[in-house]
Amino acid sequence: MPRAPLLFAFILLIALAARLANLPAESLDGDELFTARVVAAPSWSETLQLVRQDLVHPPLYYLLARAFTSVAGHGDAALRLLSLLAGLLAIALFWPIGRAEPALRGPSLLAAALLAVHDWHIFYSQQARSY
């Protein structure tokens, strides 16, 4: 399947377009506002204190989000960009699987395509939370 790299790049492009389509249209909801509060804390120690208060979600996402927004900014879209990139990475991981085992190349492309257009995956790739 010599066209597999081009097809996979096209799948990633579709995934990116689907996730960017409504990204700036939605305002932050309650859970995302908590993430915004965590990343906007004046110091790392205050960020860690707020993360300890969230007993449900592990702290890695918040720490990555704080570091990421210090570079990308604190706007709604910048706050959600980490989740968008993680969603794209989840799709991109199908490529090495398909390359490692030729028998899985077709199924891995199909799985990547299905995940690229899956409405739940798109929704959670647009949320500023560690879902």
Side-chain angles (χ1 to χ4, degrees), residues 13-65:
L13 192 62
I14 288 173
L16 178 63
R19 282 150 184 78
L20 287 176
N22 293 325
L23 190 67
E26 298 283 330
S27 61
L28 296 177
D29 66 15
D31 288 342
E32 292 177 303
L33 289 173
F34 178 77
T35 303
R37 194 171 115 212
V38 168
V39 301
S43 68
W44 279 93
S45 62
E46 290 181 50
T47 294
L48 291 173
Q49 182 65 24
L50 288 169
V51 168
R52 280 189 204 110
Q53 293 173 4
D54 183 17
L55 301 175
V56 178
H57 297 93
L60 180 61
Y61 178 82
Y62 296 117
L63 300 177
L64 290 174

Side-chain angles (χ1 to χ4, degrees), residues 70-88:
S70 69
V71 175
H74 290 280
D76 294 358
L79 193 61
R80 292 175 170 155
L81 196 55
L82 179 62
S83 294
L84 187 141
L85 293 174
L88 289 177

